[in-house]
Amino acid sequence: MKAKKKKRQDDFQKVKLKVGKKKPKADNATNTNFRTKGIHLSEQLKRDTSGPTTHRQLGINDLLSQLHHYNANVKHSALLGLKELLSLTPSLLEQHLSRLLSEVAAVFTDKDGNVRVAATRVLRFIAQCVPAERVAPFFPLLSAHLSCAMTHIETAIQEDSMKYLDVLLEHYPALLAARPAVLLTNFLELISHRQNSGGAKKAQEVKGTNWALSVSIDRTVTSQQWRLSVLLRLGRFLQAVVEERPVEEGDMSVATEGVFGSTGEGRLKPLFLNWEELTYSKAGVKVYEHSGAKPTPRSSYRLRPEVAPGGAVGENLDSAEAVQSFAATLVPLLLEVWVEASASDSSWNSTDSAHLLTPDAMSVMFQVLSILQLLRKLAPQQEQQESLDAWFRKEYLGDFKQHFMKNFPYGTQDTPKHKKKVDLKRSKQSAAVSAPAVEPLALNITLCQVMVSLGQRQGLSRETDGDWLTLLRTFVRDTLSTGVKLSYRQLHMLLGTVWKMVLTQRSKTLTEDLLAAVYVYYKQKNLTLQTRSLLLSFYSKLYLQEQGHTHLARSKVLCRWLASLPVQLSQLGHRNPFLSERLILSIQAAAARGNKDLLNSLQTQACRLYDPQEGVVVLLPVESQQRMVQLLYFLPKMSQPLLANLSCCCTAGRISAGLAASLIRIIHLRSSLSGWSVGSQEVALQDVDYISFLFSTLTGFSSDKLASLQEAGDESALPCSPLSPLSLYPTPLEQFTHHWDIVEEVCHCLETLGSKSQCFDILQNGICKYLTKLAVVPDSMAAGLLRAVSRLLDLSVLPIEPVLRFLSQCCLSLLALLITLQQEAPTETNHKREAIWGACILALSTVPRLLRMVLQLLRVGDLSEEELPQLGQVLSMLLQHTPLHNQLLANTALLQEIIQHLTRYSRTATREQWLTDLLYCYSLTVSHGSSSHRGNMGLQDMY
């Protein structure tokens, strides 16, 4: 015992320190007998000055690297610095777009809420500056980070993921809609979870109830508010998918401009290919039926890019099976959401006020109905939509009637407002997820559109549809006929409902009732242009369905609407060219079908519509003018006042020469003299009126205008002289050219009437009766008359003396005008001079005795000294024209006498150049004709 105790004491002996002795060093003592030197790295302390920096002297690389820092404050300040730097230097977006998107998207799932909010702001700034085509290569990465945020275990990150989704839906909806399958699954997981119930699993999957609504107590908002927030984004996402999906013609529920238009153009978007780029690219393109043209309605082939091997068929929801499978999962969840919202609504406890909803319940129901409507539109083809509607009717019609139609129509419950202490934090949270206020009218209209798609065609066991369809029909009729103010979208949805009811129920009484309600709304004043165009398109498209639906044939409302179109067009005029164009399109469609009510109304308003001063035919753009001219072919009758207006329209220059020629040809075809008719179409005008129209158009001036030109003191007309027997009114070059083209068309119509001699006889009688007494004549009319007489001349009918005298005066006056135009403006009037010279020469060479009468009008003794050279130039021009040599030789005596008088009255000592040229030309003509003088002796009697 003593030995053991002693040994234990030896192990723990205390060191005794003695006074004056040094303390022994410990075994682990540190030796401090060493020196250190500092190492200074000057490059390490330098800032990055190679590019733009923030106010903290941080560049783009520094800021992006700080996003990987463990401290949330550093990441938050880095995001703020990024927004500052990109605002100051937008060019950095193009240079670092890939890194910016990847680094910013990586913090979508950050644990700190301030960092996520800052990331949302930076993403919004980038989206506002960068277009979709630049972001497309990096969008799969953005979509992947978005999916991670939406499926994150943290509820706060899930809530913030909705903000990221809002930014992408606002700026890049097409990119989000490209591959919707993953995001749609994420939406389901945000509000529900899968159920694993063992043996009952198969039965649930058949009914689509293998998903159940989930409840989380960790959220900052209630479960109902969270589901409403998710449904809002789901609706916007499905809307983006529908808008980017090609839709065939015939879908009347798509809210786009011109859906009810009668143009016949669908919304199928063609795929434009650049074959030069595809030559060197690896992506192939498969070309299917019709070589890329618009496929037939029954065809499922499309021109589409080649899909990579292994791609899922239903990934883009481009088949009816994929859409139906997704709807089978989503629709039960939507019904559960509505049942939960309606159960919490206190108004449902009372039977009398069951149709009154609180704002929250109304928002939930509106979102549910909107998503149901969008689910129908996911099917791109008409056949798929019909099969999808039939599936909806079979599976959910009973549920929809129980939950939606039981208390239809709905209204807003008036809740008393109590003053309570406002919690700022809670109010901000509720404001962040609250849906926009929904009006009862918008809710009821959406419900109508959803339910009417479930209706069956008449004759297919529609007995069970009578109760709820009657409610819908009554609401639609009352809404349209009571003057309720509707927005464009609401009106479009109501018209789509009417369209569906009319074409599916096929009842004449129902159709007249609904169309009368639409017509009441149509007659309202102060409707916007967009609304008026939509109503016009609806009626026009419905009228085009008349042949295939007997209940639409001879509809009184449609006939009343058609009869009012010409009146509206005449009243509207040119104040709104776009709306006038829509009216003309509707009128043209009905006129082509021979609608008597419209044609009678059109004939009544024809004089106003075709007025040469205030009519729409001269005031609207060119495209509308062409359609107005085409309408003339369908007019039952053309009265004399209308023909007078049409003649003025052709000659006044308010429409183009080509369009005026088309107008003349249409009138020619509607006359009996053309010898051309189609079917049972009657002759629209009498022969006398037709000839009168051609003669008035040939002159180019109305009787009132010609009468005003005859007034004394008109300084615009050239004065008459011995060399110019008529006072010519110089028309502007543009007007002259326009009239010359019309003269050619009139001559062509006159030449095709059959008897040429009768046409010439009518023409010269008109000249003798209306034109020979004129003292002032427009030069375009004089040239046109010479041209027409030359083309219509028949040697069996010789011109009468008054007409021949008037034509000779016109010819001589025009020849004198040629000399003046050549001296004053030889370049600007080149076309006019050629036309006048050609008309004069053709008339002098073809009309008998015209050249002789022209030479007889040349009285040299009455000419002034300034006019002698002009006469010499006229004669020189005639002598130099070879086709006139025979006619000139036949009048050699007159010509020789005129030249002798010119030589005698020329008082200059030396012979002037014009006289020398005249004598030279005369000598050549006489010497050339001396050999054939004997053969030309017979021409003296004719010329």
Side-chain angles (χ1 to χ4, degrees):
M1 288 294 291
K2 293 181 179 179
K4 289 184 179 180
K5 187 176 181 181
K6 187 177 182 180
K7 187 176 181 179
R8 190 181 301 114
Q9 291 177 351
D10 291 339
D11 292 338
F12 299 99
Q13 285 184 352
K14 182 179 180 181
V15 178
K16 294 182 178 180
L17 302 176
K18 296 181 178 181
V19 179
K21 297 290 185 180
K22 292 184 178 180
K23 184 179 179 180
K25 295 181 178 181
D27 296 337
N28 58 348
T30 302
N31 185 9
T32 59
N33 295 329
F34 59 87
R35 294 182 179 180
T36 61
K37 290 184 178 181
I39 300 175
H40 180 67
L41 300 177
S42 58
E43 298 295 331
Q44 192 176 29
L45 302 178
K46 285 186 177 180
R47 294 289 182 182
D48 184 12
T49 58
S50 59
T53 59
T54 62
H55 70 284
R56 297 173 55 205
Q57 304 301 318
L58 294 176
I60 186 76
N61 295 322
D62 299 329
L63 295 173
L64 291 175
S65 63
Q66 288 181 3
L67 292 180
H68 298 277
H69 202 273
Y70 66 90
N71 194 327
N73 293 330
V74 175
K75 289 186 283 188
H76 182 264
S77 62
L79 289 169
L80 296 180
L82 276 176
K83 187 177 180 182
E84 175 192 352
L85 188 60
L86 295 177
S87 302
L88 297 175
T89 314
S91 60
L92 292 176
L93 280 172
E94 293 292 332
Q95 302 173 13
H96 304 277
L97 182 60
S98 175
R99 290 184 61 196
L100 281 170
L101 292 176
S102 60
E103 298 294 346
V104 173
V107 295
F108 284 176
T109 55
D110 194 87
K111 295 181 179 180
D112 189 79
N114 294 329
V115 175
R116 296 194 299 270
V117 172
T120 306
R121 294 172 180 171
V122 175
L123 178 65
R124 185 178 300 276
F125 179 82
I126 295 175
Q128 291 172 353
C129 302
V130 184
E133 57 269 14
R134 291 280 292 115
V135 180
F138 318 108
F139 199 80
L141 181 62
L142 280 176
S143 180
H145 283 290
L146 175 63
S147 297
C148 292
M150 294 175 67
T151 57
H152 203 275
I153 192 172
E154 293 288 341
T155 57
I157 297 178
Q158 292 181 9
E159 294 173 2
D160 287 339
S161 67
M162 296 293 98
K163 301 176 182 177
Y164 310 141
L165 183 62
D166 289 340
V167 176
L168 299 180
L169 283 173
E170 180 181 356
H171 297 281
Y172 308 120
L175 297 178
L176 271 177
R179 295 180 178 271
V182 176
L183 283 179
L184 289 177
T185 305
N186 295 339
F187 277 114
L188 293 177
E189 294 177 352
L190 285 174
I191 60 174
S192 61
H193 63 277
R194 291 182 183 271
Q195 287 181 337
N196 296 322
S197 55
K201 182 176 181 181
K202 292 184 179 180
Q204 290 174 347
E205 289 181 354
V206 173
K207 195 65 179 173
T209 57
N210 58 328
W211 290 72
L213 293 179
S214 58
V215 179
S216 176
I217 60 175
D218 298 333
R219 299 193 183 277
T220 58
V221 295
T222 63
S223 298
Q224 183 176 341
Q225 289 176 332
W226 169 244
R227 289 168 190 150
L228 178 59
S229 175
V230 175
L231 292 181
L232 277 171
R233 274 72 178 203
L234 176 59
R236 292 179 58 192
F237 178 70
L238 291 177
Q239 183 66 37
V241 175
V242 170
E243 289 178 354
E244 297 301 323
R245 183 71 54 83
V247 179
E248 290 185 350
E249 182 187 2
D251 185 7
M252 296 298 106
S253 60
V254 182
T256 55
E257 179 65 27
V259 158
F260 304 107
S262 57
T263 57
E265 298 178 0
R267 291 183 65 244
L268 285 173
K269 298 181 179 179
L271 180 62
F272 296 99
L273 303 176
N274 190 338
W275 299 109
E276 296 180 356
E277 296 179 359
L278 290 173
T279 303
Y280 301 100
S281 64
K282 296 181 180 180
V285 173
K286 289 183 177 180
V287 181
Y288 295 111
E289 186 184 18
H290 299 286
S291 301
K294 183 176 179 180
T296 57
R298 300 295 177 182
S299 174
S300 60
Y301 292 103
R302 295 292 183 272
L303 178 63
R304 62 174 67 250
E306 186 176 1
V307 181
V313 177
E315 188 176 8
N316 291 327
L317 298 179
D318 54 357
S319 64
E321 293 78 9
V323 177
Q324 182 174 326
S325 175
F326 176 69
T329 303
L330 182 61
V331 173
L333 294 177
L334 295 178
L335 292 175
E336 288 184 29
V337 171
W338 166 239
V339 170
E340 182 186 60
S342 61
S344 61
D345 193 353
S346 59
S347 64
W348 283 70
N349 298 329
S350 175
T351 307
D352 298 336
S353 61
H355 65 286
L356 300 179
L357 303 178
T358 60
D360 293 338
M362 191 169 292
S363 298
V364 172
M365 188 178 188
F366 181 76
Q367 294 304 321
V368 169
L369 294 174
S370 300
I371 293 174
L372 289 175
Q373 183 63 15
L374 290 170
L375 286 176
R376 292 185 54 253
K377 301 176 184 178
L378 286 177
Q381 297 183 17
Q382 188 69 23
E383 296 81 1
Q384 294 178 355
Q385 281 197 4
E386 293 176 357
S387 62
L388 195 61
D389 289 342
W391 177 80
F392 269 112
R393 176 185 174 87
K394 177 182 177 182
E395 296 291 335
Y396 300 109
L397 179 60
D399 296 332
F400 289 172
K401 289 194 297 183
Q402 177 184 355
H403 296 299
F404 299 146
M405 294 300 301
K406 184 178 180 180
N407 300 300
F408 177 81
Y410 296 96
T412 305
Q413 180 183 5
D414 295 330
T415 56
K417 297 182 180 180
H418 301 286
K419 293 184 178 180
K420 294 182 179 180
K421 187 177 180 181
V422 179
D423 188 354
L424 296 178
K425 184 176 181 181
R426 181 169 296 179
S427 63
K428 290 182 180 179
Q429 292 173 353
S430 61
V433 297
S434 62
V438 178
E439 297 180 357
L441 181 61
L443 175 68
N444 294 325
I445 291 175
T446 307
L447 180 57
C448 288
Q449 199 173 24
V450 171
M451 294 302 298
V452 78
S453 62
L454 305 181
Q456 287 184 326
R457 295 186 182 274
Q458 187 179 19
L460 300 177
S461 65
R462 58 184 286 271
E463 295 80 4
T464 58
D465 297 348
D467 50 354
W468 56 275
L469 275 179
T470 303
L471 291 175
L472 297 179
R473 186 166 59 251
T474 304
F475 171 78
V476 171
R477 182 193 60 202
D478 295 344
T479 304
L480 289 171
S481 59
T482 54
V484 179
K485 187 176 182 180
L486 301 172
S487 65
Y488 174 79
R489 179 176 177 81
Q490 292 171 349
L491 178 62
H492 193 288
M493 296 173 69
L494 274 180
L495 293 180
T497 304
V498 173
W499 177 277
K500 191 76 174 179
M501 286 183 178
V502 168
L503 295 186
T504 56
Q505 300 306 305
R506 300 187 178 187
S507 169
K508 193 171 185 64
T509 305
L510 181 148
T511 300
E512 291 293 309
D513 193 20
L514 291 175
L515 293 185
V518 177
Y519 192 68
V520 170
Y521 194 89
Y522 177 84
K523 291 191 297 184
Q524 290 184 6
K525 298 181 180 180
N526 301 324
L527 293 178
T528 62
L529 171 62
Q530 198 177 23
T531 302
R532 184 73 69 182
S533 302
L534 179 64
L535 290 166
L536 281 172
S537 300
F538 169 78
Y539 270 123
S540 300
K541 187 70 174 180
L542 195 64
Y543 175 71
L544 294 178
Q545 302 287 330
E546 188 181 37
Q547 291 183 347
H549 300 82
T550 55
H551 63 286
L552 285 175
R554 298 178 182 178
S555 170
K556 295 181 179 179
V557 179
L558 283 178
C559 292
R560 194 186 317 149
W561 168 73
L562 289 172
S564 67
L565 292 181
V567 181
Q568 297 175 36
L569 181 60
S570 63
Q571 294 174 350
L572 181 63
H574 66 289
R575 288 175 293 177
N576 195 321
F578 177 77
L579 189 57
S580 297
E581 173 70 15
R582 302 303 295 264
L583 287 170
I584 294 173
L585 285 172
S586 302
I587 293 173
Q588 192 176 32
R593 293 185 172 214
N595 187 276
K596 293 184 179 180
D597 298 301
L598 178 127
L599 291 177
N600 293 333
S601 177
L602 183 63
Q603 185 172 352
T604 305
Q605 300 293 325
C607 289
R608 292 185 60 185
L609 295 174
Y610 293 94
D611 186 86
Q613 300 298 328
E614 301 296 333
V616 295
V617 71
V618 296
L619 297 176
L620 291 179
V622 178
E623 294 79 7
S624 301
Q625 289 180 352
Q626 292 176 350
R627 298 185 185 278
M628 288 298 298
V629 170
Q630 293 169 3
L631 281 177
L632 291 172
Y633 181 77
F634 304 104
L635 275 180
K637 297 292 180 181
M638 294 185 184
S639 60
Q640 292 182 356
L642 175 60
L643 291 174
N645 287 350
L646 295 176
S647 178
C648 291
C649 289
C650 293
T651 58
R654 303 290 295 275
I655 60 176
S656 64
L659 191 57
S662 300
L663 189 152
I664 296 171
R665 284 193 292 270
I666 289 176
I667 297 178
H668 174 72
L669 293 175
R670 293 303 310 277
S671 68
S672 61
L673 297 176
S674 64
W676 189 85
S677 61
V678 175
S680 60
Q681 192 175 25
E682 299 179 358
V683 177
L685 66 165
Q686 299 180 2
D687 297 344
V688 177
D689 296 336
Y690 175 58
I691 297 297
S692 177
F693 165 78
L694 291 181
F695 184 79
S696 300
T697 308
L698 179 64
T699 58
F701 286 81
S702 63
S703 58
D704 297 335
K705 181 64 176 177
L706 290 176
S708 64
L709 290 178
Q710 310 307 312
E711 296 179 0
D714 194 352
E715 299 178 355
S716 58
L718 301 177
C720 59
S721 64
L723 190 59
S724 178
L726 295 176
S727 177
L728 291 182
Y729 172 77
T731 56
L733 179 60
E734 184 178 359
Q735 182 180 356
F736 185 92
T737 306
H738 176 85
H739 182 254
W740 189 255
D741 295 337
I742 293 177
V743 167
E744 293 292 334
E745 186 63 34
V746 171
C747 293
H748 175 72
C749 292
L750 290 173
E751 287 176 340
T752 58
L753 293 184
S755 176
K756 208 171 183 180
S757 59
Q758 292 182 357
C759 290
F760 180 77
D761 194 14
I762 294 173
L763 178 61
Q764 74 169 353
N765 289 334
I767 295 175
C768 181
K769 184 177 181 180
Y770 298 105
L771 303 180
T772 54
K773 299 178 181 180
L774 297 178
V776 181
V777 178
D779 55 1
S780 59
M781 186 180 78
L785 290 175
L786 291 175
R787 176 69 175 170
V789 168
S790 303
R791 292 185 59 173
L792 297 174
L793 180 65
D794 194 322
L795 296 180
S796 61
V797 180
L798 295 178
I800 57 179
E801 190 68 22
V803 173
L804 196 60
R805 187 183 306 110
F806 178 74
L807 294 177
S808 63
Q809 293 174 354
C810 291
C811 187
L812 184 56
S813 300
L814 289 175
L815 291 174
L817 178 63
L818 279 179
I819 303 302
T820 305
L821 293 177
Q822 192 171 3
Q823 293 175 354
E824 294 178 354
T827 306
E828 291 79 2
T829 59
N830 189 21
H831 176 73
K832 185 175 182 178
R833 288 187 292 110
E834 289 181 357
I836 292 176
W837 173 251
C840 292
I841 290 301
L842 184 62
L844 291 173
S845 58
T846 55
V847 180
R849 296 188 301 145
L850 181 61
L851 180 60
R852 178 185 301 179
M853 191 163 290
V854 169
L855 295 177
Q856 290 175 353
L857 290 175
L858 297 176
R859 304 182 184 277
V860 182
D862 298 336
L863 299 178
S864 63
E865 190 173 353
E866 292 78 11
E867 292 176 336
L868 292 176
Q870 296 181 3
L871 177 57
Q873 293 179 21
V874 170
L875 293 176
S876 298
M877 291 169 56
L878 297 177
L879 289 170
Q880 291 175 12
H881 195 70
T882 306
L884 286 178
H885 284 180
N886 291 335
Q887 290 84 342
L888 291 172
L889 289 175
N891 298 279
T892 306
L894 279 174
L895 187 60
Q896 184 177 3
E897 181 181 357
I898 293 172
I899 294 177
Q900 289 176 357
H901 286 298
L902 280 175
T903 307
R904 181 186 310 166
Y905 287 106
S906 180
R907 298 180 177 87
T908 56
T910 58
R911 182 178 298 174
E912 296 184 5
Q913 184 63 38
W914 63 269
L915 187 56
T916 304
D917 296 340
L918 176 60
L919 295 175
Y920 176 73
C921 294
Y922 176 73
S923 62
L924 287 179
T925 303
V926 173
S927 62
H928 174 74
S930 60
S931 58
S932 56
H933 178 68
R934 184 170 300 178
N936 293 331
M937 292 298 293
L939 296 174
Q940 294 181 1
D941 297 334
M942 181 178 293
Y943 295 102

